[in-house]
Amino acid sequence: MRKDKILLVEDDSTLSFIVEDALLREGFEVATAGNGEAGLRKHEEFHPDIVVADVMMPKMDGFEMVKLIRMKSPDVPVLFLTARTALDDVLHGFEIGANDYIRKPFQIAELVVRIRSLLRRNNSGVEDSLMEIAGCRLDFAAQKLFIGSGCRALSHTEAVILDEFFHHPNEVVEARTLMYRIWQNDDYNNLNRLHGFIYKLRKYLSSSSLDILNIRGIGYKLARKMY
């Protein structure tokens, strides 16, 4: 039986050894690299099913490495390991193509759960990731929104929000639910950022028959426009 292949790019040799050993015990095939440049070379040789990468590394950081990996392997899932707590850094990681992130220090069990989740999502196939409501199609795996003959590329955060709405059409989705799914917390300071993403998504949907309604004090609802 073929094992899922993980490329682990981490400059902390002790942490890299611990994580590699744990992943091997979980039944994965693992290749490691100590910086972004080595990670790129290893990616070419190893052809991983998922990339797990630190952000802050010598020679080439994780952001730059993933940008280059995305040019050749646009569909491989990427999970960032980051000691950075600034939300802008996390959002930047999503914008350049990350699928998930986990903050250091982390529990190995949580890392394994995140990895398996991304692999399941990626292995489910593009067809299974498609959802359609009122002529609008969301391809979560490819992070694309189709309206009629048009197609719009989505950021990871935009795709996550729409995925939640498409799974719960005509239902109120609490703002805190969205914030937990995006940022793993419901910090009030994130609320304005969430509003900003909702505003952009409303513009994307403006040519469709769908709209995102604001449910004051609670959250939002994806529903048909009232003409």
Side-chain angles (χ1 to χ4, degrees):
M1 181 179 177
R2 180 185 179 278
K3 296 181 178 180
D4 287 316
K5 299 164 68 174
I6 300 175
L7 172 58
L8 173 64
V9 189
E10 168 61 61
D11 66 314
D12 183 328
S13 59
T14 301
L15 178 60
S16 179
F17 176 80
I18 292 171
V19 173
E20 179 187 11
D21 182 65
L23 294 177
L24 288 171
R25 290 173 182 273
E26 289 290 333
F28 296 108
E29 185 177 348
V30 184
T32 62
N35 59 64
E37 289 183 358
L40 281 177
R41 293 193 298 271
K42 189 67 71 171
H43 176 266
E44 290 290 316
E45 301 166 3
F46 189 58
H47 303 293
D49 297 299
I50 186 170
V51 176
V52 178
D54 189 14
V55 173
M56 300 175 67
M57 295 185 291
K59 296 187 178 181
M60 179 187 294
D61 67 23
F63 290 153
E64 185 62 28
M65 182 192 72
V66 169
K67 283 182 184 178
L68 297 173
I69 286 176
R70 277 281 175 256
M71 293 179 183
K72 295 185 177 181
S73 302
D75 297 325
V76 65
V78 174
L79 187 153
F80 274 131
L81 308 175
T82 177
R84 299 185 177 189
T85 56
L87 185 57
D88 286 343
D89 289 329
V90 174
L91 293 178
H92 178 61
F94 282 140
E95 292 294 338
I96 66 171
N99 299 90
D100 201 356
Y101 76 97
I102 187 169
R103 285 196 177 102
K104 298 178 180 178
F106 53 85
Q107 298 292 321
I108 294 295
E110 181 183 2
L111 176 63
V112 171
V113 167
R114 299 284 190 93
I115 288 172
R116 292 195 189 281
S117 176
L118 289 175
L119 287 170
R120 280 197 303 272
R121 182 189 304 168
N122 203 54
N123 292 336
S124 66
V126 173
E127 183 177 352
D128 290 340
S129 76
L130 284 170
M131 292 179 287
E132 182 169 351
I133 299 175
C136 295
R137 287 182 297 133
L138 172 66
D139 187 336
F140 182 77
Q143 298 184 180
K144 292 181 180 179
L145 175 65
F146 299 88
I147 301 176
S149 60
C151 173
R152 179 179 291 275
L154 302 169
S155 71
H156 174 80
T157 302
E158 292 166 350
V160 166
I161 294 171
L162 282 180
D163 182 63
E164 196 69 31
F165 287 146
F166 270 64
H167 274 100
H168 304 280
N170 295 307
E171 298 178 20
V172 177
V173 177
E174 293 187 19
R176 62 178 299 181
T177 298
L178 294 170
M179 289 190 288
Y180 264 108
R181 184 162 177 197
I182 299 166
W183 300 299
Q184 288 76 57
N185 65 66
D186 61 349
D187 190 322
Y188 183 79
N189 294 324
N190 289 332
L191 196 55
N192 284 337
R193 292 182 179 273
L194 178 61
H195 288 331
F197 283 112
I198 296 295
Y199 176 78
K200 289 176 65 177
L201 291 172
R202 281 191 179 118
K203 291 180 66 176
Y204 297 168
L205 292 169
S206 62
S207 61
S208 76
S209 61
L210 295 175
D211 194 10
I212 301 172
L213 307 180
N214 182 36
I215 310 301
R216 187 175 179 83
I218 302 175
Y220 309 92
K221 180 168 68 172
L222 181 69
R224 290 180 180 271
K225 292 175 181 174
M226 303 294 291
Y227 294 100

